[in-house]
Amino acid sequence: MNLFVLGTGHAFAEDIYNTCFCLQNGNDFMLVDAGGGREILKQLDLSLIDLNMINYAFISHTHTDHLLGFAWVIRKIVQSYISKERTLSFTIYGNAECINAIHHLSLSILGEKIFNTYFEKFIKLEEVKADERKNIMNLNFNFFDVLDPDLTQFGFEIEEYKFVFAGDIPLNKCYYDRFKNCRYICLEAFCAESDKEGKEAQLKKHKTVHEASVAANKLNAENVIIWHTENCEFRKVKYSLEAKKSYKGNIIIPDDLELIYIEKFDENE
Ligand SMILES: [Zn+2]
């Protein structure tokens, strides 16, 4: 499975795009969150992903930096249906709040007539519940509520890859048993421990790289992907060195537009 990193920044990070990515399994593509703006189209272009190849999407929660890119994605997809460049359906999964937000956003930007022509028939909005298991792209997704105190936010696990996406808040301790020994854990970190001074407000909700690494180590995860961070000089090296102190697995600090190959979990290993 390929993971195309489209963005790695937090909501207000400058010069890097908001954290979002695209998964590819065979001929299937799933966009996971869309960042906060039109730059999503550029990031897809630069990743050599044709939007018309993407058949699925997942939205974790309705914050600006995850939701608003969908306005551009949907606008462009509808344009491709109109010009008959696209025939592939597009299914967006998300919790009830997310589905409701995408519905209203799409209706506002497209108008009722176009919305009614293309939604349901070509663009499908599919609500998922916490702890629901769904087969998408021939993979088993288990959705879970990350227990965000501010709104409903979901993450997911892909069973075949033991790949866990935990959204943009720290992984709640109640999930440590469930995701113990996972192969990949995607965690957020706002900044390096050494840069945390003056960032107390953001760190009420977010963690440092050090704290994320301690969590990954407790999980005994084979690989940790750390993103949703601020942009700083030498970020990759700086965060890797910090993570190495408390985490014994493989550290992945991606930059925007990186491609990560996700290895399949083999039970006979
Ligand atoms: Zn975010």
Side-chain angles (χ1 to χ4, degrees):
M1 180 169 78
N2 287 322
L3 188 166
F4 294 86
V5 180
L6 302 172
T8 56
H10 64 63
F12 295 102
E14 288 177 5
D15 305 323
I16 50 175
Y17 194 52
N18 307 127
T19 299
C20 58
F21 56 100
C22 195
L23 294 172
Q24 179 195 11
N25 188 44
N27 292 326
D28 291 317
F29 287 84
M30 178 191 250
L31 176 65
V32 179
D33 289 332
R38 195 165 70 102
E39 214 178 335
I40 182 66
L41 302 178
K42 187 175 115 195
Q43 298 303 83
L44 287 169
D45 262 359
L46 293 171
S47 303
L48 306 179
I49 300 172
D50 178 353
L51 186 55
N52 287 334
M53 300 191 303
I54 302 180
N55 37 359
Y56 302 106
F58 169 74
I59 169 165
S60 60
H61 64 299
T62 57
H63 276 163
T64 320
D65 57 319
H66 300 261
L67 169 70
L68 292 185
F70 277 107
W72 293 95
V73 166
I74 289 166
R75 185 68 192 79
K76 198 169 173 195
I77 284 181
V78 166
Q79 195 59 47
S80 302
Y81 284 129
I82 292 171
S83 64
K84 302 206 178 345
E85 279 166 70
R86 182 185 178 108
T87 48
L88 197 67
S89 66
F90 185 61
T91 306
I92 307 175
Y93 298 93
N95 64 56
E97 277 175 23
C98 290
I99 292 304
N100 195 29
I102 296 269
H103 179 107
H104 285 287
L105 179 71
S106 306
L107 190 56
S108 315
I109 57 172
L110 298 171
E112 211 170 318
K113 193 174 160 219
I114 293 181
F115 181 89
N116 289 338
T117 308
Y118 293 100
F119 274 69
E120 279 187 39
K121 197 171 169 197
F122 296 105
I123 302 176
K124 300 162 205 286
L125 302 178
E126 202 168 320
E127 185 191 328
V128 292
K129 305 259 189 230
D131 301 316
E132 187 173 344
R133 187 173 188 245
K134 250 188 197 312
N135 193 282
I136 308 168
M137 308 200 293
N138 292 315
L139 297 170
N140 287 310
F141 280 72
N142 286 307
F143 296 97
F144 65 98
D145 188 335
V146 303
L147 306 171
D148 189 324
D150 298 333
L151 77 188
T152 314
Q153 176 170 181
F154 280 11
F156 59 78
E157 179 194 20
I158 302 175
E159 283 174 14
E160 290 84 347
Y161 288 89
K162 286 196 160 198
F163 174 95
V164 181
F165 167 62
D168 77 349
I169 60 162
L171 183 69
N172 193 292
K173 287 197 168 75
C174 72
Y175 287 116
Y176 280 22
D177 270 352
R178 178 161 162 190
F179 299 131
K180 187 115 189 136
N181 303 322
C182 63
R183 189 146 223 194
Y184 291 87
I185 180 83
C186 306
L187 296 176
E188 69 84 37
F190 188 81
C191 61
E193 186 78 14
S194 52
D195 292 334
K196 75 174 184 182
E197 221 182 285
K199 292 165 191 162
E200 292 76 16
Q202 292 95 329
L203 289 171
K204 272 187 190 151
K205 209 183 158 187
H206 300 289
K207 294 272 189 214
T208 64
V209 171
H210 163 70
E211 290 165 325
S213 314
V214 168
N217 206 54
K218 279 199 184 124
L219 288 167
N220 198 36
E222 237 174 89
N223 301 272
V224 66
I225 298 175
I226 296 178
W227 50 22
H228 206 273
T229 77
E230 64 178 8
N231 192 13
C232 65
E233 222 180 3
F234 311 117
R235 182 175 65 151
K236 195 186 270 277
V237 175
K238 189 177 194 173
Y239 289 8
S240 299
L241 290 173
E242 183 169 308
K244 219 174 168 59
K245 286 183 192 159
S246 42
Y247 172 63
K248 62 178 187 300
N250 182 41
I251 301 152
I252 304 170
I253 312 286
D255 284 323
D256 288 18
L257 306 177
E258 246 179 65
L259 170 60
I260 303 170
Y261 177 67
I262 305 291
E263 286 172 62
K264 203 160 196 168
F265 171 66
D266 181 357
E267 277 182 51
N268 302 318
E269 264 177 31

